[in-house]
Amino acid sequence: ERDPRFDMLGTTLAERINSLFKGGLRIYTTVDPLMQRTAEAASREVLDRDKDPYNGFVAVEPDTGAVRAMVGGRDFFDLSDPYAKFNLAVQSRRQPGSTFKPFVLAAALEKGIPLSRSYRGGSQVSIRLDSGEVWSPRNYESISFGSTLSVREATVKSVNVVYAQLA
C-alpha cells in the first residue's frame, strides 16, 4: 500500500487500495492451494485451544525457492483478533534457531546416532571448535532441562545445548 515501487497503483492510499482490491489486477503466486489448506488445517489441529500460542511456518520448494504454503498465525481474516494481521512467518524477525534442529536431527540419524543417545544438559555448554575457539550456546531463557537428555527428549523440549552437541 505504501511501497514506492508500486506507484503505478495510485498516489494516495485510497487509490492504491482500490487498484489492489477492485482494479482487476492479476496476481500470480507459487502457493499450492492444497498444501495451503493442509498447512492451515495442521495448525488448527495442533494449536486448537484459545490459549495456545500463535504459530508461523513456510513450506519452500528447495530446488526453486517457490513458497508453496505459508501460515502466519491463526486466522488472518478474524476481525475480533487484534493479532490476526501480524504474520509470524515473515514479520516477526525472530532468530531462526529451532528451525535448524530438524536438519541436524536428520543428519544425526543418517550417521546412525540413535534417539536414545544422551548428551549433557544444563542451561549452557561450552564446545571447543576445530579452530580452537570456544562456542557457548545456551537454551532459550537459560532454562535447564536436567544434567543429561536423550536426543528424543531434547527434540520434544527443543533443547539448544543438546542440539549444539549433536551438530
Side-chain angles (χ1 to χ4, degrees):
E1 295 172 344
R2 292 174 175 76
D3 190 324
R5 294 176 296 171
F6 299 99
D7 283 347
M8 79 289 290
L9 295 176
T11 56
T12 68
L13 181 59
E15 288 174 343
R16 286 173 175 237
I17 289 172
N18 190 49
S19 293
L20 184 60
F21 294 104
K22 299 177 185 172
L25 294 177
R26 289 179 189 240
I27 299 173
Y28 298 90
T29 180
T30 59
V31 171
D32 177 311
L34 177 59
M35 286 181 74
Q36 182 65 34
R37 283 192 300 276
T38 302
E40 291 171 2
S43 289
R44 281 191 304 275
E45 185 178 316
V46 172
L47 300 170
D48 61 348
R49 296 181 307 253
D50 288 342
K51 292 187 178 188
D52 283 341
Y54 287 70
N55 71 315
F57 66 87
V58 180
V60 179
E61 189 173 274
D63 295 340
T64 65
V67 174
R68 296 300 180 197
M70 180 188 313
V71 175
R74 288 201 178 113
D75 182 354
F76 186 82
F77 300 103
D78 183 352
L79 298 176
S80 67
D81 184 350
Y83 305 108
K85 300 291 188 227
F86 185 80
N87 186 327
L88 282 168
V90 296
Q91 294 176 303
S92 66
R93 298 183 186 226
R94 294 181 182 211
Q95 295 179 347
S98 292
T99 61
F100 293 104
K101 287 178 183 154
F103 301 106
V104 172
L105 180 60
L109 293 172
E110 282 181 354
K111 293 207 178 278
I113 296 173
L115 293 173
S116 59
R117 181 170 294 167
S118 290
Y119 289 88
R120 261 181 309 157
S123 61
Q124 183 173 351
V125 294
S126 294
I127 300 170
R128 185 166 301 283
L129 304 177
D130 291 341
S131 65
E133 185 180 353
V134 176
W135 177 38
S136 298
R138 64 179 181 270
N139 294 326
Y140 179 70
E141 294 187 344
S142 297
I143 296 171
S144 176
F145 293 94
S147 59
T148 61
L149 289 118
S150 68
V151 173
R152 179 178 284 110
E153 292 169 312
T155 301
V156 169
K157 296 176 181 173
S158 191
V159 180
N160 296 343
V161 299
V162 170
Y163 265 85
Q165 294 169 83
L166 189 59

